[in-house]
């Protein structure tokens, strides 16, 4: 029994001990040692994945800001959905190019000076404004570890790295209310179990007033826009920095939020 338990817990120990890799390195299907499909891959059995999923779900619900646990939950429960998203990207010219070139979004790949020099209202300028106002960094996204496919590992990594882009497109801050609205949009758009779980149980933490606003106004708006918009993973955002944000929203059929959601002071 002890031997079995040690085997089950080994992936979690490896997850906690490994440093995060450089975020400017594309994920590629090369040999990285016995059983490893990409640099940070941690092979796991179905039982190990189930235990990791259960544990990370509990921790993520207890503390939604435990991004490491949210990441583990997404990787251990989303294999089938990731295949659907991958196939959507393959069928779209822009999405297929993303899968081929494997761009990464991080401080090491972003030209912050160029983004600051872009016109007011452009995607790049508004994205940088979002990062500054909400005091967040693209480098906080956890690397993929538990997905047993190099290509699917990149798909979920890409999803994480464009998450802040969705905040920018939807005009939502990074407080709990804003995150839940984005999660409803992502849940409908991607179907990832992690997003659905966060969308359903995240509102438990809201005040009665914010919950009423969420249910009556923001959720219907997020769901409607998610259903109407094309797959947001098919956008090569790095080549659209100069595009006006308003024009991009029109292209995606994303409307203005029904109300302003207050962000950090």
């Amino acid at each position: 029994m002890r031997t079995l338990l040690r085997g089950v817990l080994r992936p979690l120990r490896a997850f906690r001990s490994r440093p995060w890799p450089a975020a400017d390195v594309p994920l590629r299907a090369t040999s990285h040692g016995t059983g490893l499909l990409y640099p940070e891959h941690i092979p796991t059995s179905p039982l190990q994945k189930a235990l990791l999923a259960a544990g990370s779900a509990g921790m993520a619900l207890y503390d939604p800001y435990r991004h490491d646990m949210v990441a583990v939950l997404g990787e251990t429960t989303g294999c089938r959905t990731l295949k659907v998203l991958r196939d959507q990207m393959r069928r779209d010219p822009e999405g297929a190019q993303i899968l081929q070139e494997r761009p990464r979004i991080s401080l090491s790949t972003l030209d912050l000076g160029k983004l600051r020099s872009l016109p007011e209202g452009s995607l790049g300028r508004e994205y940088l404004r979002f990062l500054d106002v909400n005091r967040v960094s693209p480098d906080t996204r956890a690397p993929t570890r538990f997905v047993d496919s190099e290509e699917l590992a990149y798909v979920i990594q890409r999803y994480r790295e464009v998450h802040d882009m969705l905040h920018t497109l939807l005009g939502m801050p990074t407080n709990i209310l804003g995150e839940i609205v984005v999660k409803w949009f992502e849940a409908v758009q991607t179907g990832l179990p992690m997003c659905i779980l966060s969308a359903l149980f995240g509102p438990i933490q809201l005040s009665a007033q914010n919950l009423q606003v969420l249910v009556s106004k923001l959720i219907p708006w997020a769901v409607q826009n998610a259903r109407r918009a094309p797959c947001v993973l098919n956008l090569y955002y790095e080549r659209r920095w100069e595009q006006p944000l308003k024009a991009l929203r029109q292209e995606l059929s994303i409307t203005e939020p029904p109300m302003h959601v207050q962000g950090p002071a």
Side-chain angles (χ1 to χ4, degrees):
M1 177 62 71
R2 290 181 179 177
T3 302
L4 176 61
L5 185 59
R6 282 197 297 269
V8 168
L9 295 178
R10 188 177 298 116
L12 184 56
R13 296 194 188 100
F15 166 72
R16 296 177 62 183
S17 64
R18 288 190 187 180
W20 287 12
D24 57 347
V25 179
L27 295 173
R28 293 293 178 187
T30 55
S31 175
H32 297 281
T34 304
L36 302 186
L37 302 176
Y38 46 91
E40 293 303 309
H41 180 222
I42 300 177
T44 48
S45 68
L47 174 59
Q48 291 169 330
K49 279 185 171 60
L51 292 174
L52 286 168
S56 60
M59 286 301 300
L61 289 174
Y62 177 75
D63 182 2
Y65 290 98
R66 281 293 303 271
H67 300 300
D68 55 342
M69 293 294 99
V70 175
V72 173
L73 178 61
E75 294 175 27
T76 53
T77 61
C79 182
R80 291 184 180 180
T81 307
L82 288 174
K83 291 179 180 178
V84 174
L85 293 173
R86 185 267 318 275
D87 292 344
Q88 288 181 13
M89 295 179 74
R90 284 179 174 178
R91 291 192 295 267
D92 182 87
E94 200 167 346
Q97 189 173 19
I98 293 169
L99 284 178
Q100 175 64 31
E101 299 180 3
R102 307 290 173 89
R104 302 293 304 274
I105 299 177
S106 69
L107 290 179
S108 60
T109 63
L110 293 173
D111 187 340
L112 300 183
K114 178 181 178 180
L115 295 183
R116 292 189 192 281
S117 69
L118 291 174
E120 288 287 339
S122 62
L123 172 63
R125 187 69 175 270
E126 293 306 313
Y127 171 67
L128 190 59
R129 189 194 312 279
F130 166 83
L131 296 180
D132 291 341
V133 169
N134 291 277
R135 297 185 289 274
V136 296
S137 166
D139 284 353
T140 59
R141 301 302 169 193
T144 308
R145 300 183 191 270
F146 299 110
V147 177
D148 296 329
S149 161
E150 174 271 334
E151 189 174 40
L152 297 183
Y154 176 75
V155 172
I156 197 168
Q157 190 70 43
R158 182 67 175 177
Y159 154 75
R160 290 174 187 163
E161 292 178 4
V162 304
H163 174 78
D164 289 337
M165 218 69 70
L166 300 186
H167 274 275
T168 305
L169 283 171
L170 298 173
M172 288 294 133
T174 56
N175 57 20
I176 294 180
L177 181 58
E179 288 290 354
I180 292 172
V181 174
V182 175
K183 276 292 177 281
W184 272 95
F185 182 91
E186 292 177 339
V188 175
Q189 268 267 317
T190 69
L192 285 167
M194 166 197 64
C195 297
I196 296 172
L197 188 67
S198 298
L200 291 176
F201 290 97
I204 294 175
Q205 305 172 73
L206 295 175
S207 66
Q209 180 180 2
N210 281 340
L211 183 60
Q212 182 180 8
V213 168
L214 176 71
V215 173
S216 63
K217 296 182 179 181
L218 294 173
I219 288 179
W221 170 79
V223 170
Q224 183 182 48
N225 279 275
R227 287 176 174 170
R228 188 168 50 220
C231 178
V232 292
L233 291 181
N234 287 335
L235 292 176
Y236 210 137
Y237 296 96
E238 298 90 331
R239 298 186 176 179
R240 292 171 173 260
W241 292 134
E242 298 180 2
Q243 183 175 1
L245 179 59
K246 184 177 181 179
L248 181 56
R249 284 172 173 164
Q250 290 176 345
E251 178 183 334
L252 300 176
S253 300
I254 292 177
T255 60
E256 292 286 335
M259 58 172 291
H260 174 69
V261 178
Q262 184 66 40

